[in-house]
Each structure stands twice: as C-alpha cells, then as structure tokens.
C-alpha cells in the first residue's frame, strides 16, 4: 500500500526532466541576453545611422524657369539636365557681346597690320605734289623779286609770293610727316590699347556664355529628387533652391565605438550592416575613425544607455539596390577575426 504505481512514478520523472530542461534553456538564453554566455567571443556591435547626404540645387543666374524636367522620387544620373531657364534675355546679351568682340578684334588686327599699300602710296604721292607746289612757289617768288627791282610790279606782289613759298614749305613738311607715320605704322601703345579692348570684349563674351550654360540646372552626382521647390514660370533669384537631391551613392553609415572597443576596429576592415525589420545584411568597409572623442549622440540607440565618450566611425556600404534609406538606424557587426 506504501508503493506507488509504476505509471505515476514515470510521469513524475518525466515532469521533472521537462522542468529541468525548460529551466536550462531559459538560463542559457537569459544568460546570453545578459552577456553571461559567449560574452568574450570577440564580436562587436556598433550602432549608428545612414548618413543624410542632400544637396540644394539652384541656378547660378536669375530668371524665369522655362521647364523642370524631373519630379519628386525620380532617379537622376550625373550630367542629366534637371531644369532650365528662359534663355532669350541671355541670348540677346550674347549677340551684343559677340558684336562688340568682332569690332574690337577688327580694330586690333588693323593696328597690327598697319596701313594698306595703297594708303602708303597715296601718302608718297602727296609728298611729291607738295614738293612740286613748293618748287613752283619758289620760281614765282624769284621771278617777282626780279621784276620788283625793275619797277614792273609792286612790293606787295613779292610779299604774296613769299607767303606762298612758306605755305608750300609747311604743306611739304606735313605731307612728309604723314608719309613717315604711314610707313612706320601704329604706335606700340596704340596696338596694346586696341589689344586690351579686344581682350575686355572677349572676357565679356565668355561671361555671357557662362551665364547661358548656368541657365541649365545639371546634376553633378547621381541621386534621387526629394523636393521640387519651384515650378515652371516662377521667377527665381541666383542660388534660390529649385530642387533638393538626395545623394544615394555611395551609401555611408555613421556609427560610434567606445574607447574600450576602439582597438578592435581599423580603417579598411570588412564588416556587415543590418537594420530592423529584415534579416538582410549589407557588406561594408570602415573608412574613417575620428581621432577626437565625443559624447554618445542622442540618435544612437543601443541596448544600454551609454554616457561614456565614443569615437565616430564612417563606413561605406555596398547597397546597389538602394534598400537602405537616409537617416535609417543600423547595426554594424564587426567580426571577431578582424580580417580585412
């Protein structure tokens, strides 16, 4: 009567085994969560966010927007035209600048080349004619001076002939000076001045050409359009934001490491990055470790609240599909081996 049936004893033993197993499993996983088991395996977790990389795009010149060729959410490539201004005012300025440059260039070329042979020939002919007039004036003066002594003409006629000789002499000197200038060409100072005028006109034309190219808003880097701040027809000032572009490649993560864990990482180390809500991981490399300590930012969420000094780490993530979003919290898994 004091002995228990075999079935009852077996059930008690089974119940005891189950209870022990449950306690063991709970102790194991609880210890892992508290860092009691496997805490010294060398693996490290860092916490951070995908960096927000945005650029505010605007025209360097003011004007009226003619067209905006992209919309919010569109992916753009480097060199793609995103928007453009009405270029008619700039085209008119360019036409005027072209005309001024052509005129200044023609003047500079004329000064360098000098007078044409026909103009020099005309100057020589003018000297010959002046010499002939002077010879005739002297002949008339000599004839009248001989006649005045005989009383055939008055002394006033002689004085008139003498004045004509002086005028012919002056005209000959002027003609000879004009021939000398024609043969010598333009002065060096005048050539330098005309060349400078041409350079000013050329610089003005280049400036207008630059304004014309700046009337097209071109993506320097690839990315995604986040905001379309202006619409076609709007008048914008230079530098006013028209589009906001998120730079999607390369994907960069900013994480933080404590001073105690700093020796476990180094630039160029291969790591993996994960985020909440998915089991997918992304390969990454540590590219930069700050040499200046700072307090843990409020945006970094870890298992335990840390107030110790940390060091900023920047990583480059391979994410060709664009699954990671800017500002998204991520976890960086540093392998125990620390292989590159």
């Amino acid at each position: 009567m004091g002995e228990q049936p075999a079935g009852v004893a077996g059930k008690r033993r089974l119940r005891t085994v189950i209870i022990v197993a449950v306690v063991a499993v709970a102790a194991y996983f609880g210890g892992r969560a508290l860092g009691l088991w496997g805490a010294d395996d060398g693996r490290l977790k860092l916490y951070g966010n995908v960096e927000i990389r945005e650029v505010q795009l605007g025209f360097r010149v003011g004007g009226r927007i003619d067209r905006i060729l992209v919309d919010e959410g569109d992916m753009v490539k480097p060199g793609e035209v995103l928007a453009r201004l009405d270029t008619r005012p700039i085209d008119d300025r360019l036409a005027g600048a072209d005309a001024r440059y052509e005129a200044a260039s023609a003047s500079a070329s004329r000064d360098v080349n000098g007078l044409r042979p026909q103009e020099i020939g005309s100057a020589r002919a003018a000297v010959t004619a002046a010499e002939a007039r002077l010879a005739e004036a002297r002949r008339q003066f000599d004839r009248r001076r001989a006649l005045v002594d005989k009383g055939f003409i008055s002394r006033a006629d002689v004085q008139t002939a003498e004045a004509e000789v002086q005028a012919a002499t002056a005209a000959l000197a002027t003609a000879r000076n004009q021939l000398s200038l024609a043969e010598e060409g333009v002065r060096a100072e005048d050539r330098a001045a005309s060349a400078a005028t041409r350079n000013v006109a050329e610089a003005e034309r280049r400036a207008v050409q630059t304004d014309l190219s700046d009337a097209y808003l071109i993506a320097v880097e690839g990315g995604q359009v986040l905001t379309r701040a202006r619409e076609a027809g709007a008048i914008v000032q230079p530098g006013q934001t028209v589009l906001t572009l998120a730079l999607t490649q390369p994907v960069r993560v900013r994480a933080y490491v404590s001073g105690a864990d700093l020796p476990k990482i180094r630039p160029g180390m291969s790591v993996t990055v994960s985020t909440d809500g998915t089991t997918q991981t992304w390969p990454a490399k540590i590219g930069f470790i700050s040499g200046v300590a700072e307090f843990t930012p409020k945006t970094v969420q870890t298992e335990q609240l840390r107030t110790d000094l940390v060091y900023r780490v920047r990583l480059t993530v391979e994410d060709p599909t664009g699954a990671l979003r800017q500002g998204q919290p991520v976890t960086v898994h540093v392998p125990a081996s620390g292989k590159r």
Side-chain angles (χ1 to χ4, degrees):
M1 190 172 168
E3 296 182 2
Q4 295 179 349
V8 175
K11 290 180 179 180
R12 288 183 177 178
R13 284 196 297 271
L14 179 60
R15 194 162 45 240
T16 302
V17 170
I18 293 173
I19 293 173
V20 171
V22 170
V23 171
V25 170
Y28 174 75
F29 286 103
R32 287 196 63 180
L34 295 174
L36 300 178
W37 322 120
D40 198 21
D41 60 359
R43 289 180 294 179
L44 177 65
K45 286 184 179 181
L46 306 179
Y47 300 89
N49 300 81
V50 178
E51 284 190 343
I52 299 176
R53 301 173 61 229
E54 297 178 358
V55 58
Q56 310 294 327
L57 300 179
F59 296 99
R60 196 160 61 176
V61 295
R64 183 178 63 84
I65 298 177
D66 182 46
R67 290 191 64 187
I68 297 181
L69 305 174
V70 294
D71 207 344
E72 295 179 353
D74 289 349
M75 302 299 297
V76 300
K77 299 178 181 179
E80 182 177 348
V81 178
L82 308 180
R84 68 183 182 216
L85 296 175
D86 179 10
T87 61
R88 283 177 294 180
I90 304 178
D91 291 336
D92 294 339
R93 288 171 48 204
L94 182 59
D98 285 338
R100 286 188 291 273
Y101 171 74
E102 293 297 334
S105 181
S107 298
S109 299
R110 180 194 60 197
D111 291 344
V112 171
N113 296 330
L115 296 178
R116 292 171 293 182
Q118 295 87 338
E119 294 174 318
I120 297 177
S122 297
R124 288 174 179 169
V127 170
T128 302
E131 289 174 345
R133 286 193 295 272
L134 177 60
E136 176 63 18
R138 284 174 177 173
R139 190 181 65 80
Q140 292 293 334
F141 173 71
D142 292 339
R143 187 177 67 84
R144 292 182 181 183
R145 186 170 55 181
L147 293 175
V148 74
D149 294 337
K150 296 178 180 180
F152 292 117
I153 60 174
S154 65
R155 188 167 296 278
D157 293 334
V158 176
Q159 292 174 348
T160 301
E162 184 179 7
E164 290 177 353
V165 170
Q166 294 175 351
T169 302
L172 177 59
T174 300
R176 286 174 176 173
N177 289 334
Q178 293 295 332
L179 176 60
S180 177
L181 289 175
E183 292 176 339
E184 184 178 347
V186 181
R187 291 190 306 174
E189 295 84 352
D190 294 335
R191 290 196 298 269
S194 61
T197 303
R198 179 191 58 194
N199 294 338
V200 170
E202 184 179 9
E204 179 186 355
R205 185 177 67 168
R206 286 200 305 267
V208 179
Q209 289 172 339
T210 300
D211 289 346
L212 182 60
S213 64
D214 288 338
Y216 294 84
L217 191 59
I218 299 175
V220 179
E221 297 186 43
Q224 185 178 30
V225 179
L226 290 183
T227 306
R228 180 168 165 165
R230 296 291 181 272
E231 295 296 333
I235 304 297
V236 294
Q237 300 299 320
Q240 191 172 2
T241 299
V242 176
L243 298 170
T244 302
L245 185 67
L247 305 180
T248 55
Q249 294 295 333
V251 177
R252 294 175 181 171
V253 167
R254 176 177 298 187
Y256 295 86
V257 61
S258 66
D261 293 327
L262 191 59
K264 297 180 182 180
I265 63 172
R266 59 183 177 273
M269 178 183 292
S270 296
V271 297
T272 56
V273 172
S274 66
T275 186
D276 297 337
T278 178
T279 57
Q280 182 181 357
T281 59
W282 293 265
K285 282 188 178 295
I286 297 177
F288 166 76
I289 302 174
S290 175
V292 180
E294 55 187 288
F295 285 101
T296 306
K298 296 295 184 181
T299 57
V300 178
Q301 302 297 328
T302 64
E303 284 106 349
Q304 299 175 351
L305 180 62
R306 297 183 180 182
T307 57
D308 297 338
L309 291 176
V310 292
Y311 295 83
R312 179 167 52 90
V313 180
R314 191 184 66 195
L315 304 94
T316 302
V317 184
E318 298 180 17
D319 181 27
T321 61
L324 294 174
R325 303 296 181 182
Q326 294 191 8
Q328 187 175 11
V330 296
T331 302
V332 180
H333 304 273
V334 180
S337 60
K339 295 181 179 179
R340 294 179 180 269

